[in-house]
Amino acid sequence: MIFRMEADGLEWLFIPLHQIVSWGASGAMVFGGVVPYIPQYRDIKRTQNAEGFSTYVCLVLLVANILRILFWFGRHFESPLLWQSIVMILTMLLMLKLCTEVRVTNELNLKRRSFAAADSKDEEIKVPPRRSFLDFDLHYFWHWSKFTDYVQCVLTFTGVTGYITYLSLDSALFVEMLGFLAVFTEAMLGVPQLYRNYQNRSTEGMSIKMVLMWTSGDTFKTVYFILNQAPFQFSICGLLQVLVDMTILLQVYLYTYYPQKPTSHAAHPVSAKAL
């Protein structure tokens, strides 16, 4: 009888403990994905230099998370994963806003110095035109001069894909392909980084701390997918994402201990995982 009373008392203790752990894991899923971008945001803000961070990172994550939200309408999955996508979209928009402001400010400063030099040499310098989403020029895609152009592009993509999804929700094949495309796009985020490192024979300009945070976060996320029986697309692409992260870390080791080119040419090194 005493043993049973003690067991009941322990069970009363374990129930809220289990809930706390569950809430903690859910919170980590929702906000853990954006944590690596906090030091990146602060570095860009501090140095006023966004050259080490590619806005294509934002493009890939925006596309992946918009598609994931649309997938939820066809096949409901864990709520923390849905909120994670919403938080990530907001974070990438903030990153885009900062990068655009910094880049435009630096371009203006460069133009002023160029005009000053031209005045002293009586040379004519042509000012490059401002680039806009509504120009529909593929050569300048995702290299626009205003943050509002990026917002217009995101809203256009969301509207078109949302309408197609609405018309195709009755197709199980379309829904499953939509889910696979969403997580596969996110899983491929590191592949351009791999290619860039290979081209440069260096990992300069890429934060090792950031890649380590990516690796730990992707590992936790994949385990979460498996334990919570998320759709199989999530687990497969999560494992692929961890593999890409580990390969990038291997590049860090190889190019650090077996350098193939000088790595001291950057004037403003910043922490980034750039494309």
Side-chain angles (χ1 to χ4, degrees), residues 8 12 20 64 85 91 111 125 137 139 144 157 163 166 187 207 218 268:
D8 292 339
W12 175 84
I20 292 174
S85 293
T91 302
K111 291 174 186 176
I125 296 180
D137 189 343
H139 291 92
W144 302 307
F157 175 78
Y163 182 68
Y166 173 75
S207 171
D218 292 337
H268 301 283

Side-chain angles (χ1 to χ4, degrees), residues 49-54 106 196 268 270 274:
N49 182 0
E51 292 180 1
F53 179 79
S54 173
N106 291 339
R196 177 176 179 176
H268 301 283
V270 293

Side-chain angles (χ1 to χ4, degrees), residues 60 64 67-68 177-191 233-234 236-238 240-241 244:
V60 173
L67 293 179
R68 185 196 289 186
M177 287 298 297
L178 181 65
F180 180 80
L181 183 60
V183 291
F184 183 76
T185 302
E186 184 177 356
M188 291 293 101
L189 177 63
V191 172
Q233 299 99 323
F234 287 72
I236 293 175
C237 292
L240 180 59
Q241 204 164 2
V244 172

Side-chain angles (χ1 to χ4, degrees), residues 58-273:
C58 303
L59 173 62
V60 173
L61 288 176
L62 283 169
V63 170
N65 285 280
I66 290 171
L67 293 179
R68 185 196 289 186
I69 292 174
L70 295 177
F71 175 56
W72 182 86
F73 287 99
R75 181 178 175 184
H76 288 191
F77 47 79
E78 291 285 325
S79 296
L81 299 180
L82 178 63
W83 283 107
Q84 180 196 50
S85 293
I86 296 173
V87 171
M88 183 62 75
I89 289 173
L90 295 176
T91 302
M92 290 301 101
L93 290 175
L94 286 175
M95 291 294 297
L96 276 174
K97 186 175 186 297
L98 176 63
C99 291
T100 305
E101 291 175 350
V102 169
R103 188 181 71 250
V104 170
T105 300
N106 291 339
E107 287 178 355
L108 288 175
N109 292 334
L110 180 61
K111 291 174 186 176
R112 289 167 184 166
R113 291 194 295 268
S114 299
F115 278 121
D119 290 340
S120 63
K121 297 179 181 180
D122 295 328
E123 295 178 357
E124 182 181 357
I125 296 180
K126 295 183 179 180
V127 180
R130 298 183 68 86
R131 300 180 290 271
S132 171
F133 167 67
L134 296 179
D135 294 336
F136 301 108
D137 189 343
L138 293 179
H139 291 92
Y140 296 109
F141 177 77
W142 212 250
H143 292 286
W144 302 307
S145 303
K146 292 183 179 180
F147 172 67
T148 52
D149 291 309
Y150 294 95
V151 175
Q152 289 175 358
C153 180
V154 171
L155 291 177
T156 301
F157 175 78
T158 303
V160 172
T161 54
Y163 182 68
I164 294 174
T165 302
Y166 173 75
L167 296 178
S168 308
L169 279 178
D170 293 335
S171 172
L173 177 61
F174 174 84
V175 171
E176 294 300 326
M177 287 298 297
L178 181 65
F180 180 80
L181 183 60
V183 291
F184 183 76
T185 302
E186 184 177 356
M188 291 293 101
L189 177 63
V191 172
Q193 179 67 53
L194 281 171
Y195 182 67
R196 177 176 179 176
N197 293 343
Y198 173 76
Q199 280 187 317
N200 296 337
R201 299 295 193 272
S202 170
T203 57
E204 183 182 4
M206 182 190 70
S207 171
I208 299 176
K209 181 190 300 184
M210 190 175 186
V211 178
L212 289 172
M213 294 174 71
W214 274 56
T215 306
S216 59
D218 292 337
T219 302
F220 172 81
K221 181 172 61 177
T222 303
V223 173
Y224 182 91
F225 291 157
I226 296 173
L227 294 180
N228 287 273
Q229 298 180 346
F232 75 96
Q233 299 99 323
F234 287 72
S235 300
I236 293 175
C237 292
L239 291 172
L240 180 59
Q241 204 164 2
V242 173
L243 178 62
V244 172
D245 294 338
M246 296 297 293
T247 307
I248 294 176
L249 290 176
L250 178 61
Q251 284 184 320
V252 173
Y253 171 79
L254 292 176
Y255 295 142
T256 299
Y257 292 97
Y258 303 96
Q260 301 182 33
K261 59 170 284 187
T263 57
S264 59
H265 60 273
H268 301 283
V270 293
S271 170
K273 182 177 182 180

